[in-house]
Amino acid sequence: MKIEIRHAEPEDAEALQAIHTDDAVYANTLQLPMPSKTLWRKRLADIPDNMHILVAAIGNEVVGVLGLETMISKRRRHVASFGVSVKATSQGKGVGRALITAALDLADNWLDIRRIEITAYTDNTGAIALYKSLGFLIEGEMVDYAYRNGEYVNAYQMARVRKTKNG
């Protein structure tokens, strides 16, 4: 199974909308259920300069997406954050790892990003293990971070700081 990583195109909107209609996916994001195709078309039609959207495809099927946002504040231009979603039936098959690895390469070797941040719900143990395996550390726990499925849930703030030659 070959996973192709590429930049998102406007024609990916329907596939990305379909991925985010699955409660196993959107429950681990800050998105609301039942996203519209129009919403995803708008997102992909007008991508800001500080946003890089990557998709993972197996064959002709888009099975994952990662948005990497670089900070625009002058004092935080060395920082980026990301969110990643993988189709429920493709989870645990290396799709998330391939997307994050591609984003880390982009950040490290092309954008000169030193710090990359991710927020993960504390009960999303699979994602947390993946992030840790890629060098991310838990920096803290945010209590009542988000409202999900009728209750408040906690989240971890995680980050990976790239080491430079000078430390």
Side-chain angles (χ1 to χ4, degrees):
M1 167 180 82
K2 182 175 178 346
I3 302 167
E4 176 195 359
I5 306 297
R6 61 174 173 76
H7 282 275
E9 300 290 343
E11 55 268 18
D12 296 322
E14 192 167 320
L16 298 181
Q17 181 262 350
I19 289 170
H20 290 90
T21 59
D22 188 324
D23 64 342
V25 175
Y26 70 75
N28 285 309
T29 72
L30 286 174
Q31 299 191 43
L32 294 173
M34 302 171 284
S36 70
K37 290 176 186 170
T38 302
L39 171 73
W40 279 98
R41 285 187 198 111
K42 285 181 183 177
R43 285 180 179 169
L44 295 179
D46 190 24
I47 300 171
D49 289 341
N50 68 318
M51 179 66 78
H52 304 274
I53 301 178
L54 305 176
V55 295
I58 298 174
N60 292 326
E61 181 184 12
V62 173
V63 295
V65 62
L66 181 145
L68 178 70
E69 180 181 12
T70 59
M71 302 300 128
I72 56 176
S73 167
K74 290 184 186 330
R75 294 179 59 197
R76 289 202 20 107
R77 286 192 181 153
H78 66 290
V79 179
S81 65
F82 73 94
V84 62
S85 297
V86 174
K87 184 177 179 178
T89 57
S90 297
Q91 292 178 7
K93 298 179 180 178
V95 174
R97 179 176 298 278
L99 280 163
I100 297 168
T101 299
L104 293 175
D105 177 66
L106 180 64
D108 292 348
N109 298 310
W110 300 98
L111 300 175
D112 195 23
I113 298 298
R114 182 169 168 136
R115 176 184 172 83
I116 301 181
E117 303 171 340
I118 182 73
T119 301
Y121 293 119
T122 56
D123 61 0
N124 192 352
T125 56
I128 293 164
L130 173 60
Y131 304 147
K132 284 181 175 181
S133 76
L134 292 168
F136 288 80
L137 301 174
I138 294 173
E139 295 183 323
E141 183 172 345
M142 297 173 281
V143 176
D144 290 351
Y145 174 76
Y147 194 68
R148 178 183 69 185
N149 200 24
E151 63 184 5
Y152 290 99
V153 293
N154 295 357
Y156 291 130
Q157 176 63 42
M158 300 181 74
R160 187 208 72 161
V161 178
R162 177 174 48 94
K163 301 295 183 209
T164 62
K165 292 176 184 170
N166 299 327

